[in-house]
Amino acid sequence: MNVEAGFMGALALLLLLILRVPVAIALILVSFVGIASILGFGPAFGILQNTPYSFASSWTLSAVPMFLLMGFMAYRAGFTSGLFELAKVLLRWLPGGLAISTIAASGGFAALSGSSIANSATIGRMAVPEMVSGGYGRGFACATVAAGGTLGALIPPSILMIVFGIFAEVSVNSIFLGGIVVGVLSAFSYVVVILTTAFIRPDIVPRRAEPGESTIKLGVALRNAWPAIALAGCVLGGLFTGIFTPTEAGAVGSMMTFVVAGFLGRLTKEMAWFVLSETVLTTTAIFIVAVGATMFTRFLGITGLSSYLVLATAGLELTQLTQILLIVAIYLVLGMFMEPFGALLITLPVFLPMIRAEGIDMVWFGVLVVKLLEIGMITPPIGLNVFVVKRVAGMEASLMRIFAAVVPFLVADAFVVACMIVAPGMVRIFG
Amino acid sequence: MKRIINTVSTALASVGAVAVILLMLHVCADVVARNVFVVAIPGTSDIVARYYMIALTFLPLALTEQKLEMISVDLVNSVLPNVFQKLLLRAVALISVGVYGVLGYLTWLTAIKSFHAGTFIMVENTRIFVWPTYFMLPLAFAAAGFICLMRCICAVPGHQNLHKA
């Protein structure tokens, strides 16, 4: 009977989401009505009364606004341009050198920002016009930036990984370390896509750089890129050597970003307010969904739906590989339509008990889920990274053309996911 | 009315923004104190969790609603005729009013209970009162609910952003 209520709740949630009810409101409403129908209004009121405060009053969670602040500030202060210049100086000799530099700059900026949208927007604004004037196809230029943007959530700091770590109760640092491996592998796979395209389709990816494309010297490039390199080194170094907790790393990183931006004369009152408002609005939007997801987890626990699904899956005698492939398929489909935080938080209450029951490594699962959700950022019909790149730089490339150009990068992503499934130990190389 | 709504939502979000700055400064001061003077600032994690986190999580909720920044799934909305989109927007706003209303009322009851109990935490034999933080929740939910109510009645706040991606 209660399991039926769980299924009804999940269906009601789906219906509300389709009707464009905000994810947080839908989760809270379904949880409240569901718990009230099973246990009565007293316990339902109790959960509504206590969950928001008890969820938000968390030290671990405070890493999220700190890393958001650091990323937004680094983005607005223009620290990325130095990284892009340096990448160009070092990599322009390669076939498709500008596109490879774009991927390298995206990876570098990912070490300062935890969001792939910020990554796509900031790199896209600089790299797309330069690639187009360097003879690259518009669609391919936009697709390169959109794919490179996904590194933002894979290479630490990553907001998605922090939220996963808190819900799954696993070390955020361990997920971050796994994220580095998968992020770097993804970047290399994108480079292979660019090199291959340069040999097959030199009309959209030039094999040689245009003469005079980059005249900047290595010393000048290093001087321009030092703030971003120093910041990333300090934050990630402090985090992985155990000097800082994630919150402390984010706070020190944010402080350094403000100080360096001020020192370079790039900090204005308007910009500071803009960065702060972006930080609080994003934090609130994510956390209120997380409050709803916490209530939904309680509701599913009461209905016994999670345990039922665990037993039902065991009864089907599916192999672990089949279960993983099913979960991969579900995330890929969700990623096509949903924003990553919404997709993550509505699925974790169902999937986490199943993964725990199977004895699968949670760190590996966390990195896999983040990778899958990031693939959703470049798949149609709702590929947020593609939309962002088109908005900031790709006005003359149609969405269809960009999505078509993204396909080779999706093949590379499929290869990375396959590697993770075949060799799960790679996520734990660093610990 | 629009000006009052803007002022209130911006003021609440500004308090959230101040909480972000204080969180950054407080944690940095703690890191410096611990590494340079080998003394941690007492109660840092408690103050962060109970004051800054509560303020920055909930107080900007009204502005988030006003700017239509809440995370949602745009699956059928974009293909619906304009009149249905508006109707759906109002229906969704009405549902949100109900949810925020219940949340606001229930968290208000908790806040009153905490106030009467004088809820505090102990940090190295010192009492730090945390009951004021409980009042941030009903305030935030009431403001967000009011914005949704206005959207439902006259579709004023955030109207210009209705078709934002």
Side-chain angles (χ1 to χ4, degrees):
Chain A
M1 180 61 189
N2 285 353
V3 173
E4 278 173 22
F7 275 115
M8 294 286 285
L11 273 177
L13 177 68
L14 198 66
L15 185 70
L16 289 171
L17 293 180
I18 289 171
L19 291 175
R20 216 176 186 275
V21 174
V23 179
I25 299 292
L27 283 164
I28 294 170
L29 183 62
V30 168
S31 310
F32 173 71
V33 174
I35 294 169
S37 68
I38 297 168
L39 301 177
F41 278 100
F45 282 142
I47 284 173
L48 246 61
Q49 213 162 358
N50 299 319
T51 308
Y53 191 96
S54 62
F55 173 82
S57 57
S58 155
W59 162 258
T60 318
L61 214 56
S62 60
V64 173
M66 289 297 94
F67 281 126
L68 281 173
L69 180 64
M70 185 176 89
F72 284 132
M73 191 64 204
Y75 164 38
R76 297 284 167 199
F79 289 172
T80 335
S81 54
L83 285 175
F84 187 48
E85 289 297 331
L86 181 63
K88 276 195 300 180
V89 170
L90 294 173
L91 301 166
R92 67 187 292 268
W93 58 275
L94 286 165
L98 254 182
I100 293 173
S101 305
T102 302
I103 296 295
S106 298
F109 188 58
L112 293 175
S113 158
S115 144
S116 64
I117 288 180
N119 204 321
S120 305
T122 184
I123 302 285
R125 202 164 278 145
M126 293 178 304
V128 173
E130 212 163 315
M131 276 195 274
V132 171
S133 63
Y136 286 74
R138 283 182 194 281
F140 191 85
C142 293
T144 304
V145 174
T150 65
L151 301 175
L154 278 169
I155 294 176
S158 161
I159 310 299
L160 272 172
M161 287 179 180
I162 297 173
V163 173
F164 178 91
I166 288 165
F167 268 81
E169 295 171 344
V170 285
S171 152
V172 172
N173 270 13
S174 299
I175 308 179
F176 276 180
L177 286 169
I180 292 179
V181 178
V182 176
V184 170
L185 181 64
S186 300
F188 274 109
S189 71
Y190 296 155
V191 170
V192 171
V193 167
I194 294 164
L195 288 172
T196 312
T197 313
F199 284 106
I200 299 171
R201 294 281 310 272
D203 55 318
I204 58 168
V205 180
R207 288 180 194 164
R208 287 203 186 92
E210 293 274 314
E213 195 176 88
S214 179
T215 50
I216 195 169
K217 292 253 179 353
L218 179 63
V220 179
L222 274 172
R223 203 168 58 218
N224 292 340
W226 78 262
I229 296 170
L231 263 168
C234 188
V235 170
L236 297 184
L239 193 63
F240 294 130
T241 51
I243 298 171
F244 302 143
T245 63
T247 299
E248 290 167 352
V252 171
S254 301
M255 186 73 164
M256 284 175 66
T257 319
F258 270 95
V259 170
V260 174
F263 181 71
L264 297 174
R266 296 178 193 170
L267 182 64
T268 61
K269 215 166 84 179
E270 291 76 23
M271 189 180 86
W273 166 246
F274 196 70
V275 164
L276 283 168
S277 67
E278 270 181 315
T279 303
V280 290
L281 291 179
T282 311
T283 306
T284 300
I286 295 171
F287 282 179
I288 202 75
V289 176
V291 167
T294 309
M295 293 181 188
F296 193 62
T297 306
R298 296 254 189 98
F299 164 62
L300 290 187
I302 291 165
T303 61
L305 182 63
S306 305
S307 324
Y308 173 81
L309 287 176
V310 171
L311 290 172
T313 318
L316 286 173
E317 292 180 3
L318 298 173
T319 61
Q320 208 174 68
L321 178 65
T322 316
Q323 289 182 43
I324 294 295
L325 290 177
L326 272 174
I327 291 176
V328 167
I330 289 169
Y331 274 113
L332 287 178
V333 172
L334 282 178
M336 289 166 75
F337 301 100
M338 284 190 76
E339 190 276 342
F341 284 100
L344 178 77
L345 290 166
I346 64 163
T347 50
L348 285 188
V350 179
F351 288 149
L352 285 182
M354 291 169 71
I355 295 296
R356 270 200 201 101
E358 281 294 319
I360 293 169
D361 181 12
M362 277 294 178
V363 171
W364 173 82
F365 184 66
V367 180
L368 177 72
V369 168
V370 172
K371 175 68 189 168
L372 294 171
L373 290 172
E374 286 306 303
I375 293 174
M377 298 292 278
I378 54 171
T379 49
I382 301 173
L384 291 177
N385 278 13
V386 173
F387 293 167
V388 167
V389 178
K390 177 163 170 54
R391 200 167 60 193
V392 299
M395 301 313 278
E396 287 170 43
S398 72
L399 273 177
M400 284 290 283
R401 204 159 137 194
I402 304 175
F403 277 126
V406 154
V407 172
F409 293 101
L410 288 174
V411 174
D413 282 333
F415 168 76
V416 173
V417 171
C419 285
M420 289 183 72
I421 293 171
V422 173
M426 64 187 259
V427 169
R428 290 286 202 168
I429 286 175
F430 296 125
Chain B
M1 179 61 85
K2 197 177 171 185
R3 190 181 292 172
I4 296 171
I5 290 171
N6 279 340
T7 309
V8 171
S9 58
T10 308
L12 288 174
S14 303
V15 179
V18 170
V20 172
I21 292 287
L22 289 175
L23 167 55
M24 179 184 78
L25 294 174
H26 195 148
V27 172
C28 285
D30 184 54
V31 169
V32 171
R34 220 179 44 227
N35 288 290
V36 178
F37 307 109
V38 204
V39 183
I41 299 175
T44 298
S45 59
D46 292 311
I47 302 284
V48 164
R50 296 294 193 126
Y51 272 91
Y52 309 144
M53 282 300 286
I54 296 295
L56 72 89
T57 299
F58 295 107
L59 293 181
L61 191 59
L63 195 62
T64 311
E65 273 291 356
Q66 194 183 353
K67 287 179 173 280
L68 296 175
E69 296 272 354
M70 295 288 279
I71 296 172
S72 51
V73 187
D74 201 351
L75 207 58
V76 293
N77 198 52
S78 49
V79 294
L80 287 176
N82 209 18
V83 62
F84 283 111
Q85 283 190 27
K86 283 188 175 171
L87 209 65
L88 197 60
L89 186 90
R90 289 188 177 202
V92 168
L94 193 63
I95 293 173
S96 302
V97 171
V99 171
Y100 286 133
V102 174
L103 278 169
Y105 175 68
L106 292 172
T107 49
W108 170 255
L109 294 182
T110 311
I112 292 291
K113 214 163 90 180
S114 300
F115 171 68
H116 287 304
T119 306
F120 62 87
I121 49 170
M122 289 297 289
V123 175
E124 295 190 358
N125 298 325
T126 308
R127 281 180 181 193
I128 297 179
F129 286 101
V130 292
W131 61 260
T133 61
Y134 285 86
F135 283 93
M136 292 182 194
L137 278 76
L139 185 65
F141 290 133
F146 187 68
I147 298 244
C148 293
L149 184 66
M150 285 295 110
R151 188 183 299 145
C152 184
I153 295 169
C154 52
V156 171
H159 183 70
Q160 66 276 19
N161 297 323
L162 283 186
H163 300 290
K164 222 174 84 173

